[in-house]
Amino acid sequence: MIILLSGLSGAGKSTLSQHVKNQLAKVGIDTEIIDGDEYRAKICKDLSFSKADRIENIRRLGFIASKFSARNIVTIISAISPYDEARQELINLYNNVKIVHIDCPLNELIERDTKGLYKRALLPDEHPDKIRNLTGVNDQYEVPLKPDLYINTHQNSLPRCIHILTSFIVNNHYKPPRSHPETLIEIPS
Ligand SMILES: Nc1ncnc2c1ncn2[C@@H]1O[C@H](COP(=O)(O)OP(=O)(O)OP(=O)(O)O)[C@@H](O)[C@H]1O
Ligand SMILES: [Mg+2]
């Protein structure tokens, strides 16, 4: 299963993925997190924040996710993924892709400002530190219209959000039947 956590910066995608991974480990479900920040620092560092490059970013993350997911590892992509086109492409290309909208009102995100990005995006136009392409402020975010799951991280506490996402994954995760020893090839002695 591929879980695409989509939402604005600071909404809680990375925080939730890490906590949910820990919860899933407790019930024996293996999880891989593909975090946009980590991949942008490595194999996606050639990409900008233009529309085409943001779509290409999700395309690459989706491809990697599909490899883990094919081994029945729950794979959580934690990336803003602002464009419906990119999200739809993953749904069309791969099995069992779930879109989860991690939502939080902009005024709360400005309050959290975990990376200081909102402060910089709201600077006057002539300021040299101004960011001109922060999703939700001065760059587009296409709200997922029919997400498989919606989580509002302002209305729900962190433990509650963790519980919602963990339960969703546990309920949708494919549990392979246990292999029986008699199905194994006999090794001649
Ligand atoms: N209910 C909640 N769920 C998730 N995070 C919450 C919640 N309430 C408060 N927070 C806080 O919001 C912040 C979310 O930051 P986080 O880095 O997870 O966002 P992000 O969506 O990964 O952003 P980015 O796209 O920039 O990577 C954290 O400081 C977290 O503690
Ligand atoms: Mg993050």
Side-chain angles (χ1 to χ4, degrees):
M1 173 172 31
I2 299 176
I3 304 280
L4 177 61
L5 300 187
S6 172
L8 301 184
S9 178
K13 304 179 297 295
S14 299
T15 305
L16 281 173
S17 13
Q18 197 51 59
H19 283 285
V20 167
K21 179 182 171 150
N22 297 342
Q23 291 298 110
L24 292 173
K26 290 183 194 169
V27 292
I29 297 178
D30 209 1
T31 309
E32 177 71 20
I33 298 171
I34 297 184
D35 197 282
D37 279 348
E38 187 185 355
Y39 281 74
R40 271 198 178 267
K42 299 283 180 191
I43 59 163
C44 297
K45 66 179 170 196
D46 56 315
L47 299 177
S48 74
F49 290 89
S50 67
K51 179 172 182 177
D53 277 7
R54 286 178 187 268
I55 290 172
E56 173 62 18
N57 187 44
I58 299 304
R59 185 173 292 132
R60 292 183 194 178
L61 304 191
F63 175 74
I64 294 162
S66 73
K67 299 293 174 189
F68 287 103
S69 179
R71 312 296 303 184
N72 204 29
I73 295 167
V74 170
T75 310
I76 304 177
I77 302 177
S78 169
I80 296 172
S81 34
Y83 294 108
D84 200 46
E85 183 184 330
R87 299 188 296 251
Q88 205 55 49
E89 189 178 298
L90 296 200
I91 293 169
N92 295 341
L93 280 175
Y94 308 118
N95 288 328
N96 214 1
V97 175
K98 305 288 184 195
I99 307 295
V100 179
H101 181 196
I102 306 297
D103 194 17
C104 183
L106 192 60
N107 60 338
E108 168 67 11
L109 295 173
I110 292 169
E111 189 75 28
R112 288 183 190 172
D113 211 1
T114 43
K115 295 177 178 169
L117 297 176
Y118 290 95
K119 188 168 175 243
R120 289 181 57 199
L122 294 167
L123 287 169
D125 275 352
E126 57 283 2
H127 199 288
D129 295 335
K130 186 176 173 81
I131 297 177
R132 290 164 207 285
N133 51 10
L134 183 62
T135 306
V137 176
N138 43 20
D139 208 10
Q140 201 178 5
Y141 181 74
E142 295 176 352
V143 174
L145 293 180
K146 283 186 187 164
D148 296 287
L149 182 68
Y150 171 88
I151 302 178
N152 188 310
T153 64
H154 182 49
Q155 289 169 350
N156 297 286
S157 67
L158 178 58
R160 174 102 191 109
C161 293
I162 297 166
H163 174 75
I164 295 169
L165 184 53
T166 306
S167 310
F168 176 81
I169 292 173
V170 168
N171 291 333
N172 285 283
H173 177 62
Y174 169 73
K175 290 159 208 75
R178 286 213 178 161
S179 62
H180 296 288
E182 62 270 24
T183 65
L184 296 174
I185 300 166
E186 277 201 25
I187 301 163
S189 49

